[in-house]
């Protein structure tokens, strides 16, 4: 019997992932050994340092990977291609910005997370934890573990490792979604839905991996590609349905993570219920990582499919892209909650990304790489703005985010710079020229035209035009619609019946002797809700994130050539050498 030979591992290639995961382990130890007063600061510094270290590792590997075409560990269990390294760059940058939003606190020292997430909402234990000023600093190691999974997700040739990376990034997110400081029941419901549907998606993906192993005898993507290219070596010609079924089931698991229809149903509820900083983190980073894994798996396997099977896969992607764009834009138009509107916007953008998949070419991977960076900056900045617009009760106590669209009326008069930044992010999501979103959409639609799928590109342009409505509607509310206080003052100056409405709200008869009406009561409550909106003062991190995202959106829209050249250099999604 031959002696076991330990594999030779080049640890330098693994550094982008190892730095983040090792920091997550250290973060767990910090929770056990560092005193309460220094724990939060230590966790924030460690998290930011780990992400900067991961980004630096990617930069150090860049020349080698783009020159040699690949770098791998243990026969491709960990495989870096230029496209994988590009996705890791995007994930690291967006995660760094996302942590700034997560670490932000208001002037009263409150963050977005419950003092003890394990407490049953509304109990005396939760109230005592809040009064004691407890902080949920376990958030930071969970974010690091999720980011490590995202960095690993597109960086493997092994389908089992792909599944492990999926679980490593998903499990912390299930917990993070349940940690909101306010609206606790909604947050826990969001986490439960995400966990339940995510478990189904993971099981479907695992079953697809089993089918691929069944016909190829390997869980290596490149190994499966070899079998597809040499059908005489297997019984492939006897079971083409097994091949396409395995690929489609793996695709389902990946499409779930990017929120593509018909696997999108978790997105609005989870985006609405999760803590807003976590929602932004998920919307930007998870989508980028999942898109990278989808390109790595689908584009590679498509290269080995014969023409009929390849055509079937293209038809499936056409259907997903059209359905996703249709649902995202149509449902987004009727939303009255800002977070749900941005959730359906995320679904629509998943459809726009899917447009670039048709053709399975490097032109598409280049467009996808630029798109996830542009979209990630805009969506992170948008959710960072949402964290600062809050409700306030009659006693002046700041509550949760003001997410109803009517509450955003007149925001430009309260905080013109914040409204300007949010307008910029919305215009970028809409694809207006001179923003990053315009260049990104032009790139993905051009990739579809280059692949001969011009009808899909036309549908994408039409869907983008429809989506402009719900972005512009919010901009009009912020800039052109007067605040509720201004409307009340105008009504009083004109001799209106504001006092009568107030008396009616208290159950007193109005000035004309009429009885109070339910409609009047509802109107008064609605007015009070709109009036109790305040823009909280950030302690700095969220403001820094908003500024950096805004600068990125402008630069990528006005002078995008450097980023496009970088995306072209990183477009290769397969090893250049066997």
């Amino acid at each position: 019997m031959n002696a076991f030979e330990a594999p030779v591992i080049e640890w330098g290639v693994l550094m982008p992932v190892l730095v983040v995961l090792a920091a997550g382990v250290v973060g767990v130890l910090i929770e056990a050994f560092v005193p309460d007063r220094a724990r939060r600061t230590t966790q924030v510094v460690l998290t930011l340092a780990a992400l900067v270290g991961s980004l630096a590792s990617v930069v150090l590997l860049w020349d080698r990977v783009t020159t040699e075409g690949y770098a791998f560990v243990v026969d491709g269990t960990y495989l870096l291609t230029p496209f994988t390294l590009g996705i890791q760059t995007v994930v690291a940058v967006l995660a760094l910005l996302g942590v700034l939003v997560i670490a932000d606190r208001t002037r009263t020292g409150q963050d977005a997370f419950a003092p003890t997430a394990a407490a049953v909402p509304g109990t005396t234990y939760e109230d005592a934890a809040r009064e004691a000023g407890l902080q949920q600093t376990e958030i930071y190691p969970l974010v690091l573990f999720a980011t490590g999974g995202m960095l690993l997700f597109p960086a493997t040739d092994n389908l089992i490792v792909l599944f492990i990376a999926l679980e490593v990034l998903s499990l912390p997110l299930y917990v993070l979604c349940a940690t909101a400081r306010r609206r606790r029941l909604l947050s826990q419901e969001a986490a439960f839905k995400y966990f339940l549907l995510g478990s189904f998606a993971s099981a479907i993906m695992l079953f697809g991996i089993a089918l691929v192993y069944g016909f190829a005898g390997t869980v290596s993507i490149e190994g499966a590609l070899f079998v597809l290219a040499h059908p005489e070596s297997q019984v492939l010609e006897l079971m083409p349905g097994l091949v396409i079924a395995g690929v489609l089931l793996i695709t389902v698991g990946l499409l779930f993570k990017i929120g593509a229809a018909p696997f999108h149903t978790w997105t609005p509820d989870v985006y609405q219920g999760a803590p807003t900083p976590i929602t932004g983190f998920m919307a930007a980073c998870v989508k980028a990582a999942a898109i990278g894994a989808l390109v790595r798996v689908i584009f590679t396997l498509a290269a080995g499919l014969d023409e009929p099977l390849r055509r079937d896969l293209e038809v499936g992607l056409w259907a997903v892209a059209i359905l996703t764009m249709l649902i995202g834009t149509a449902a987004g138009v009727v939303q009255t909650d800002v977070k749900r509107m941005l959730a359906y916007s995320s679904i629509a953008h998943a459809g726009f990304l899917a447009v670039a998949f048709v053709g399975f070419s490097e032109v598409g991977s280049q467009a996808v790489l630029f798109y996830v960076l542009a979209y990630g900056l805009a969506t992170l900045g948008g959710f960072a703005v949402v964290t600062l617009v809050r409700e306030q009760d009659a006693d002046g106590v700041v509550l949760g985010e003001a997410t109803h669209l009517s509450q955003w009326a007149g925001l430009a008069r309260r905080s013109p710079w914040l409204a300007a930044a949010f307008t910029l992010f919305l215009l970028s999501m809409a694809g207006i020229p001179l923003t990053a979103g315009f260049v990104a959409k032009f790139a993905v639609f051009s990739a579809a035209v280059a692949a001969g799928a011009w009808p899909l590109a036309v549908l994408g342009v039409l869907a983008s035009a429809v989506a402009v409505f719900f972005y512009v509607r919010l901009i009009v509310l912020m800039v052109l619609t007067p605040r509720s206080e201004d409307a009340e003052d105008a009504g009083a100056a004109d001799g209106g019946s504001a006092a009568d409405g107030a008396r009616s709200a208290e159950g007193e008869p109005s000035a004309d002797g009429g009885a109070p009406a339910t409609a009047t009561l509802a109107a008064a409550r609605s007015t009070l809700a709109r009036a109790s909106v305040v823009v909280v003062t950030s302690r700095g991190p969220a403001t820094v994130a908003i500024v950096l995202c805004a600068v990125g959106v402008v630069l990528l829209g006005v002078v995008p050539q450097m980023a496009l050249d970088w995306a072209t250099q990183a477009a290769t999604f397969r090893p250049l050498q066997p």
Side-chain angles (χ1 to χ4, degrees), residues 96-424:
L96 193 59
L97 295 171
V99 168
L100 291 177
V101 182
I102 291 170
D104 192 56
R105 292 186 292 176
T106 65
R107 61 179 181 272
T108 60
Q110 290 185 353
D111 57 19
F113 305 99
T116 172
V120 177
T123 59
T124 55
Y125 176 67
E126 183 184 47
D127 295 337
R130 185 181 297 109
E131 293 173 1
L134 297 182
Q135 299 182 70
Q136 193 79 30
T137 51
E138 294 91 339
I139 296 297
Y140 299 99
L142 288 173
V143 167
L144 285 172
F145 286 129
T147 305
M150 295 175 203
L151 294 170
L152 179 60
F153 201 29
T156 180
D157 182 57
N158 189 296
L159 292 174
I160 297 298
V161 177
L162 182 77
F163 174 75
I164 293 172
L166 174 65
E167 296 306 300
V168 171
L169 76 89
S170 297
L171 293 176
L173 291 176
Y174 299 151
V175 177
L176 289 170
C177 287
T179 59
R181 174 177 287 272
R182 299 177 179 87
R183 301 185 178 97
R184 294 290 314 285
L185 289 176
L186 187 63
S187 177
Q188 293 182 355
E189 178 188 358
F192 179 73
K193 288 180 179 178
Y194 193 23
F195 169 73
L196 192 62
L197 295 177
S199 299
F200 278 114
S202 297
I204 291 172
M205 180 178 174
L206 192 59
F207 189 56
I209 293 173
L211 292 180
V212 170
Y213 179 79
F215 81 83
T218 178
V219 291
S220 167
I221 300 174
E222 292 293 334
L225 179 62
F226 178 83
V227 175
L228 289 170
H230 302 82
E232 67 279 359
S233 63
Q234 295 286 336
V235 292
L236 179 62
E237 66 278 2
L238 300 179
M239 47 182 181
L242 188 65
V243 179
I244 197 67
V247 173
L248 288 178
L249 290 177
I250 295 173
T251 305
V252 166
L254 297 173
L255 290 175
F256 174 86
K257 279 300 175 185
I258 69 172
F263 318 106
H264 68 285
T265 52
W266 62 275
T267 309
D269 292 337
V270 173
Y271 277 33
Q272 183 183 25
T276 303
I278 298 301
T279 303
F281 175 73
M282 290 170 54
C285 300
V286 174
K287 191 178 294 291
I291 285 292
L294 194 60
V295 169
R296 174 78 187 106
V297 174
I298 301 304
F299 280 35
T300 301
L301 291 178
L305 295 176
D306 57 21
E307 190 58 32
L309 293 178
R310 182 186 174 95
R311 190 162 50 247
D312 290 341
L313 186 58
E314 285 188 354
V315 169
L317 289 176
W318 272 61
V320 167
I322 294 172
L323 186 62
T324 304
M325 290 187 293
L326 176 64
I327 291 177
T329 54
V333 168
V334 299
Q335 298 304 311
T336 58
D337 185 276
V338 172
K339 292 176 72 174
R340 290 185 73 89
M341 187 200 76
L342 292 177
Y344 280 104
S345 167
S346 174
I347 294 169
H349 282 285
F352 300 142
L353 280 163
V355 169
F357 291 169
V358 179
F360 311 107
S361 66
E362 291 189 1
V363 177
S365 63
Q366 172 194 350
V368 162
L369 199 56
F370 186 90
Y371 199 108
V372 293
L373 176 60
Y375 168 77
L377 291 174
T379 195
L380 259 178
F383 280 109
V385 171
V386 174
T387 64
L388 300 179
V389 182
R390 303 286 189 87
E391 294 176 343
Q392 185 175 355
D393 65 13
D395 298 327
V397 178
V398 176
L399 305 175
E401 289 90 352
T403 59
H404 196 280
L405 289 183
S406 63
Q407 295 175 305
W408 288 67
L411 179 67
R413 301 187 185 184
R414 291 185 178 91
S415 181
W417 289 109
L418 195 67
F422 198 42
T423 298
L424 175 63

Side-chain angles (χ1 to χ4, degrees), residues 44 48 52 93-105 377 380-382 384-385 387-388 418 421 425 536-553:
V44 172
L48 293 175
V52 171
V93 169
L94 296 179
L96 193 59
L97 295 171
V99 168
L100 291 177
V101 182
I102 291 170
D104 192 56
R105 292 186 292 176
L377 291 174
L380 259 178
V385 171
T387 64
L388 300 179
L418 195 67
F425 299 139
V536 300
T537 302
S538 165
R539 286 195 171 182
T543 302
V544 172
I546 291 171
V547 171
L548 291 177
C549 288
V551 170
V553 166

